[in-house]
Amino acid sequence: MRIFSSLILLLFLSNLSSNSQADDSQCLSCHADQAMAWQQSDHYKSMQITNADTVLGRFDGSGATYNKDTFNFHSENGKYYVSISHAGDTPTSYEIKYTFGYYPLQQYLAQLPKGKFQALPVAWDSRTAEEGGQRWYALKSDLEWDHFAYSWNTSCAECHSTQFKKAYDAESASFKSHFQEMNVSCTACHGDASGHTAWLNSGQQKQAHAGFSRSLNESGTWTRTAEQRIAKRESPPMGSQLSTCAQCHAHRTIIEPWSLNKTMLDHIQLSLISPPLYHPDGQIKEEVFVTGSFLQSKMHAAGVVCSNCHDPHTLKLKAEGNALCGQCHAPEIFNTKEHHLHDNNTAGSLCVECHMPTTTFMGVDERRDHRFGIPRPQNSIDHGIPNACNQCHKDKNAEWAQEQISTRLNNTKDDHRTAVFSALDQRPWSTYDLSNLLNTETLADIIYASALTRLNTATESAAFQLVIANLKSEEPLRRLGAARAIEALPPAQRPNYLNSLIHDPSKSVRMTVAALLAGSLNDPSMSASQKFDLGILLKEYENSLLINSDNPGIQVALGDLYRQSGRYAEAQRAFGRAIAIDKQYSPAYINLADLYRSMGDEQTALSSLIDASQILPKDSALLYSLSLAYFRHQQYDKGVSSLSIAHELDPSSSDINYVYAVALEHIGKSEQALAILKTYLKSFPTNVQILELSARYNLKYRHIKQALGEIEAWLKISPNDSNAKALYRQAQHVDQDENSPMTQ
């Protein structure tokens, strides 16, 4: 291993940093064993200068086509280049200064103007030829190659380099990005080493964590007696290791720079379990980077941390095959055919094949699911989601797999979380029943929080009371889920329930509350002191958003904050910047139109949406907003026309179906309106808003039996809803009148 050459490189790269912290080159002189292990890791190869040793691809003029762009890679005088030609046009050449990753794909960073580096969507497949590799491989995406999502500065650098500073200037849309270390090095995980350096210089006096603020050594002590099936941990971990790994290995938004002494939810806003990121049972669907999956698991609940399975420096597994799981799970029980149903020493007998099935991302990169779930083919039957059994037994169906588990394992129990899955999948299920389930079942906090966001707090008292109770939960994820559930309430009502969370100890919770209360500074129900505290919170929220101001979604969030605060000029600039970053990002156009409305300029709001629809003619959300603008101008035909296209593009949208039906009924097309609602309810029979609208229309047009059936369905979902009860009495009265002998 080239420890000394790496040391020279690190000393050179440290000069690129303006950071005053101790740099990682100082670590290697004392920690040679750890350095050698680190050099075997993906972290070490996360980003490297292009040279003959680091470049794996063939830069011989070959390449591949991505969408309509042709990429050809070549080298000249020790430098590396890509030539990109769009639809046969004259190619443009860009220098490639860095490699990015190395297996199973090695990407390359091309230098673009304004300090931007672009991760090219044509990568080198570094797998062996027998595995299908040793070729240029084009990723599958409809994004342009220079889209902001492929920008190293925006999407990649913070997790592939150490102490990265984006240094983005929103005014010029340019970067002056820099890092302390090019790759993922020591302080990326161990944090600021200056205290450790001071400890060394002071003679290594007795001090907690040798000068570091926290210890990452959280593997713990585990014991298992002869009678125990699974080992138990003596004391729970503090959470520093998970927080450290989650800064990158999570689907999240950074809300504050990481440091070792922060809890996970103080530096990231973690995505909850919801589509399209996850399947409704929590299995990975999109690339979610492990943490959200792991938090669902019994492993996490038992105190398992990353280093129980992975060497923290090589990142490799600590043992091969089932021996890894056998550290804690009694092999004489679990590593048997009676348990795994397969012949020993076959692929089917491996624990990971059943409990950590793979999903392939970027075409060739298989990632294992870290929720450590039990194969449930019944969920495939009920929800159309994958199961581990059929991932291998592709010639069989889910019914066959469920039969095998039911008979051979004598397991006929239903998954007790089916109601949660149904809610997360937006499938037929009463949120009244869901709230009862959440009151009785023990669920992982991230699943519980995700389910809270699906509760119908607007009309169901049981759901509402459960949400209110969880605003006081000891668990920050549950408070986060409860706060998001409050979004269903009108803005004027939110301060009544969220004021108590303005000073929440978790930054993730505070930032959620800030977004929901952004327009409440002028709320007359709030005291002067509450408004003062909210003002401080909104400033914290603004500063948090500015960390990622090169992202159009964040610019829209900033614009919305400014709009609700009456800072209209700043809001307009923010929405304009979002559009400049990504002209295909429809929320920017929609929110810009809302800004014009807030300013009293309805005509410009309409005109801006018409212009946007020329750019995005197949964006259902934009067309929906355009239809509302037409209706406000009493241009009903144009509004209905826009809604018709939006409905065709997104027939599952509740809002589109609702407004479309209302519009059709308004222009005299009641039967078409009822047909739209009926079709929607076949797929989503528990949508209370649609049920109510359909019932009222059916009652209005004297389809009494249909109306009664829909109101009864509504009452099953919301048995205490006063509106449903009143409408049911009205429908019964009409039914009695029509069936009275005097009317026949």
Side-chain angles (χ1 to χ4, degrees):
M1 294 294 177
R2 298 171 297 169
I3 295 177
F4 295 105
S5 62
S6 297
L7 177 59
I8 293 171
L9 177 61
L10 286 168
L11 286 168
F12 168 73
L13 292 176
S14 67
N15 292 328
L16 296 175
S17 171
S18 60
N19 198 307
S20 61
Q21 295 182 2
D23 66 72
D24 292 3
S25 62
Q26 300 176 46
C27 307
L28 304 184
S29 58
C30 292
H31 300 282
D33 289 345
Q34 287 82 359
M36 185 172 291
W38 166 65
Q39 286 187 330
Q40 302 173 46
S41 71
D42 290 355
H43 282 173
Y44 177 75
K45 298 176 182 177
S46 61
M47 181 174 168
Q48 297 175 294
I49 292 175
T50 50
N51 58 47
D53 292 328
T54 61
V55 172
L56 302 178
R58 285 197 291 267
F59 279 69
D60 56 4
S62 59
T65 297
Y66 171 82
N67 296 337
K68 295 182 179 180
D69 299 312
T70 300
F71 291 69
N72 294 104
F73 298 84
H74 64 281
S75 61
E76 183 178 340
N77 299 324
K79 293 186 176 181
Y80 296 82
Y81 300 90
V82 60
S83 294
I84 304 174
S85 173
H86 179 71
D89 293 343
T90 302
T92 302
S93 185
Y94 301 91
E95 184 177 358
I96 294 174
K97 291 195 171 183
Y98 304 101
T99 66
F100 206 63
Y102 78 104
Y103 186 87
L105 294 174
Q106 184 177 70
Q107 289 185 270
Y108 301 97
L109 301 182
Q111 186 172 7
L112 273 59
K114 295 188 173 184
K116 186 177 180 180
F117 285 86
Q118 200 73 359
L120 300 175
V122 172
W124 180 255
D125 186 344
S126 54
R127 299 174 302 161
T128 65
E130 291 75 19
E131 294 175 298
Q134 299 302 298
R135 56 172 179 158
W136 290 107
Y137 178 78
L139 303 181
K140 303 294 187 288
S141 173
D142 57 358
L143 299 178
E144 298 293 333
W145 75 270
D146 58 352
H147 192 269
F148 84 91
Y150 288 140
S151 165
W152 168 81
N153 315 69
T154 297
S155 302
C156 314
E158 63 197 15
C159 285
H160 281 252
S161 298
T162 301
Q163 295 296 328
F164 170 72
K165 305 297 181 186
K166 191 179 296 183
Y168 177 71
D169 179 63
E171 191 68 31
S172 62
S174 62
F175 296 89
K176 292 184 179 178
S177 303
H178 56 276
F179 43 71
Q180 179 173 293
E181 312 291 349
M182 180 182 298
N183 54 8
V184 181
S185 193
C186 309
T187 57
C189 301
H190 292 280
D192 181 9
S194 56
H196 181 62
T197 303
W199 172 76
L200 289 170
N201 294 336
S202 67
Q204 303 182 35
Q205 299 175 4
K206 187 175 181 180
Q207 184 178 351
H209 316 312
F212 287 101
S213 60
R214 295 283 191 279
S215 172
L216 292 178
N217 184 12
E218 293 190 333
S219 296
T221 301
W222 296 77
T223 58
R224 181 173 65 83
T225 65
E227 293 78 24
Q228 289 177 314
R229 293 158 54 91
I230 302 174
K232 290 188 176 181
R233 183 176 177 132
E234 291 186 358
S235 59
M238 297 298 294
S240 297
Q241 187 179 124
L242 180 60
S243 174
T244 297
C245 297
Q247 60 179 313
C248 290
H249 295 276
H251 193 281
R252 83 293 182 264
T253 298
I254 292 177
I255 55 176
E256 187 170 300
W258 169 85
S259 65
L260 191 56
N261 60 346
K262 290 176 182 170
T263 66
M264 180 175 67
L265 295 180
D266 281 330
H267 62 90
I268 65 171
Q269 186 75 278
L270 184 67
S271 298
L272 297 182
I273 311 303
S274 61
L277 298 177
Y278 296 88
H279 292 289
D281 66 341
Q283 288 188 72
I284 58 175
K285 186 176 183 181
E286 301 298 330
E287 198 166 10
V288 291
F289 308 106
V290 174
T291 298
S293 302
F294 183 60
L295 290 177
Q296 302 174 52
S297 71
K298 290 183 178 180
M299 304 293 184
H300 169 64
V304 172
V305 296
C306 308
S307 62
N308 288 125
C309 299
H310 299 270
D311 183 281
H313 293 102
T314 67
L315 310 183
K316 292 177 170 51
L317 294 174
K318 287 188 168 182
E320 294 296 323
N322 289 351
L324 181 67
C325 305
Q327 294 179 108
C328 293
H329 296 261
E332 64 273 15
I333 296 174
F334 295 102
N335 194 18
T336 64
K337 187 172 183 177
E338 289 73 23
H339 177 74
H340 53 60
L341 306 182
H342 295 79
D343 292 335
N344 291 324
N345 301 316
T346 63
S349 69
L350 294 175
C351 307
V352 294
E353 294 301 321
C354 293
H355 300 292
M356 299 182 70
T358 61
T359 301
T360 301
F361 300 105
M362 299 180 75
V364 301
D365 192 2
E366 292 185 344
R367 308 281 179 89
R368 290 202 177 274
D369 196 324
H370 280 66
R371 60 190 276 276
F372 302 99
I374 297 172
R376 303 267 188 195
Q378 189 61 48
N379 284 335
S380 300
I381 298 168
D382 295 339
H383 301 284
I385 57 181
N387 72 81
C389 304
N390 293 120
Q391 192 172 73
C392 291
H393 298 278
K394 299 183 186 297
D395 59 330
K396 307 292 185 182
N397 58 27
E399 286 77 9
W400 171 86
Q402 180 60 38
E403 178 67 18
Q404 298 299 308
I405 288 178
S406 298
T407 56
R408 298 179 67 183
L409 289 178
N410 194 28
N411 182 359
T412 58
K413 294 181 180 179
D414 291 332
D415 192 332
H416 69 289
R417 297 175 297 179
T418 295
V420 178
F421 301 157
S422 297
L424 297 180
D425 196 25
Q426 298 179 324
R427 293 293 180 93
W429 194 271
S430 163
T431 67
Y432 173 80
D433 292 332
L434 176 60
S435 61
N436 289 336
L437 177 94
L438 294 179
N439 270 321
T440 58
E441 290 291 351
T442 301
L443 300 169
D445 288 332
I446 192 169
I447 298 176
Y448 193 101
S450 304
L452 284 174
T453 66
R454 297 292 183 183
L455 291 175
N456 181 9
T457 55
T459 61
E460 294 182 13
S461 59
F464 178 73
Q465 293 302 322
L466 182 63
V467 166
I468 298 304
N470 276 280
L471 290 174
K472 300 177 182 179
S473 171
E474 294 182 358
E475 300 300 330
L477 272 174
R478 296 195 178 202
R479 296 197 303 275
L480 177 67
R484 290 187 184 177
I486 293 295
E487 186 175 6
L489 300 181
Q493 296 181 21
R494 295 173 189 169
N496 297 331
Y497 308 105
L498 296 181
N499 278 339
S500 61
L501 298 181
I502 287 177
H503 298 289
D504 194 274
S506 170
K507 184 158 187 172
S508 283
V509 176
R510 293 198 306 276
M511 297 303 93
T512 299
V513 170
L516 294 174
L517 296 183
S520 299
L521 276 176
N522 296 319
D523 190 319
S525 68
M526 295 184 69
S527 67
S529 62
Q530 286 175 329
K531 291 180 180 179
F532 179 80
D533 291 345
L534 178 58
I536 294 174
L537 176 63
L538 293 180
K539 185 61 180 177
E540 181 187 16
Y541 177 53
E542 180 182 2
N543 290 336
S544 180
L545 291 173
L546 287 170
I547 294 172
N548 300 298
S549 60
D550 55 332
N551 183 298
I554 298 299
Q555 284 291 349
V556 167
L558 279 166
D560 191 50
L561 170 63
Y562 297 147
R563 179 186 64 80
Q564 294 190 72
S565 304
R567 298 156 64 180
Y568 292 151
E570 292 173 89
Q572 190 167 358
R573 281 195 296 272
F575 295 137
R577 286 168 180 166
I579 292 169
I581 295 170
D582 184 5
K583 290 182 173 57
Q584 304 295 310
Y585 189 64
S586 64
Y589 299 102
I590 295 168
N591 280 271
L592 179 59
D594 286 343
L595 172 64
Y596 291 135
R597 290 191 64 216
S598 297
M599 298 166 65
D601 191 349
E602 290 282 0
Q603 186 56 53
T604 302
L606 174 60
S607 299
S608 68
L609 289 171
I610 292 173
D611 292 342
S613 70
Q614 302 303 308
I615 300 170
L616 300 171
K618 294 185 178 181
D619 190 290
S620 61
L622 181 64
L623 292 171
Y624 171 70
S625 295
L626 176 58
S627 71
L628 297 180
Y630 277 132
F631 293 147
R632 283 189 289 269
H633 284 76
Q634 298 184 2
Q635 298 180 33
Y636 297 111
D637 289 344
K638 290 182 178 179
V640 170
S641 177
S642 292
L643 268 180
S644 175
I645 301 171
H647 182 263
E648 183 178 343
L649 292 167
D650 189 5
S652 64
S653 167
S654 174
D655 290 341
I656 290 174
N657 276 273
Y658 189 97
V659 176
Y660 192 26
V662 170
L664 288 169
E665 197 273 341
H666 179 77
I667 63 174
K669 297 183 178 180
S670 59
E671 291 304 315
Q672 188 177 345
L674 284 167
I676 292 291
L677 297 173
K678 182 178 180 180
T679 300
Y680 180 85
L681 287 170
K682 285 181 179 178
S683 299
F684 305 98
T686 61
N687 187 305
V688 169
Q689 275 192 318
I690 300 295
L691 270 174
E692 179 179 2
L693 182 65
S694 185
R696 291 189 182 279
Y697 282 171
N698 274 310
L699 185 58
K700 178 179 179 179
Y701 294 103
R702 293 299 190 264
H703 306 305
I704 308 302
K705 289 185 178 180
Q706 182 67 24
L708 284 168
E710 289 169 341
I711 302 169
E712 287 168 357
W714 180 7
L715 284 167
K716 285 182 180 179
I717 299 166
S718 305
N720 298 317
D721 192 298
S722 58
N723 290 328
K725 291 178 179 178
L727 190 63
Y728 191 67
R729 288 193 296 269
Q730 181 184 347
Q732 284 182 315
H733 182 72
V734 173
D735 186 41
Q736 290 170 359
D737 285 349
E738 290 200 351
N739 289 294
S740 169
M742 296 185 66
T743 62
Q744 296 179 1

